[in-house]
Amino acid sequence: MSMSEKETILGFLDGHGIRYTAFSHPVTDDLPGKLANDAKAGVFGATHCKNLVLANRRKTKFYLLTMPFGKRFRTGPVSRQMASGRLSFAEDGILEGILHTKSGMVSPLELIFDEKKEIAFSMDRELKEAELICFHPSDDTVTVVLENKEFFEKFLPAAGIAVNFVNIELVEEEG
């Protein structure tokens, strides 16, 4: 019997001595709900992230963009910073085939499944300063909380992931 993607991710973190907190919670798609889940788990001050898998126009290059949850993706400014033509959302097949996950559950943690390094990783520069960063490990009922150093100095090198930092302007989400 094979391990689930969540178990594989948590095993990767454990196997590389990466300290984290993980907790289960109800599914929520808004920041107040996420913060309420955090509070119930005794986690305060963590930055939740929005993760988008993008593709160039020809669908020959793929990118994972991670940014604070409250920011909104605007294709033009981000495409220029990533030195790519106009970016659009990648098809679910990329999520499932390369990252072993689906929309709503993707995060940098799934990059451990990208053995051929087909997906370039970009992250909003603001996250470099976040004390705690939250991600779903291929399961939107579980949150993994990593300290900044654990993510940038341990996880990314252990997974062989290079990060390209971009500046995403704060544009309040509508609705």
Side-chain angles (χ1 to χ4, degrees):
M1 180 180 237
S2 65
M3 290 197 307
S4 73
E5 283 75 10
K6 176 184 73 177
E7 291 167 331
T8 301
I9 290 168
L10 297 179
F12 180 91
L13 297 173
D14 291 336
H16 288 87
I18 299 167
R19 290 180 296 130
Y20 64 93
T21 300
F23 61 92
S24 297
H25 53 75
V27 174
T28 183
D29 292 328
D30 62 26
L31 191 56
K34 291 176 183 302
L35 296 176
N37 288 340
D38 289 358
K40 287 177 188 169
V43 173
F44 300 94
T47 300
H48 285 267
C49 297
K50 181 185 309 185
N51 300 281
L52 307 173
V53 178
L54 306 168
N56 65 359
R57 185 170 288 160
R58 294 184 193 156
K59 310 281 190 236
T60 57
K61 293 185 181 178
F62 303 99
Y63 307 87
L64 173 62
L65 174 63
T66 298
M67 58 190 182
F69 194 80
K71 290 191 174 183
R72 190 172 63 158
F73 171 68
R74 292 182 44 202
T75 189
V78 173
S79 296
R80 285 188 290 280
Q81 291 180 67
M82 293 169 64
S84 176
R86 197 82 153 161
L87 295 170
S88 61
F89 295 103
E91 288 108 18
D92 284 342
I94 297 301
L95 295 173
E96 294 166 7
I98 298 174
L99 297 177
H100 300 201
T101 194
K102 56 187 173 180
S103 184
M105 291 186 254
V106 68
S107 80
L109 301 177
E110 282 76 27
L111 289 172
I112 67 169
F113 299 114
D114 182 13
E115 295 174 7
K116 297 178 184 175
K117 303 298 182 218
E118 296 176 77
I119 299 177
F121 180 48
S122 291
M123 184 174 231
D124 184 59
R125 190 172 310 281
E126 180 181 312
L127 292 171
K128 282 175 66 171
E129 308 305 320
E131 188 176 323
L132 300 171
I133 305 173
C134 298
F135 303 113
H136 291 303
S138 288
D139 182 338
D140 58 357
T141 67
V142 175
T143 292
V144 169
V145 183
L146 293 157
E147 290 180 10
N148 183 297
K149 283 186 173 191
E150 296 295 311
F151 180 73
F152 288 104
E153 295 178 18
K154 290 186 179 179
F155 174 75
L156 292 177
I161 300 167
V163 61
N164 171 49
F165 289 101
V166 296
N167 294 310
I168 300 173
E169 85 180 60
L170 180 59
V171 177
E172 293 298 322
E173 294 267 358
E174 296 175 10

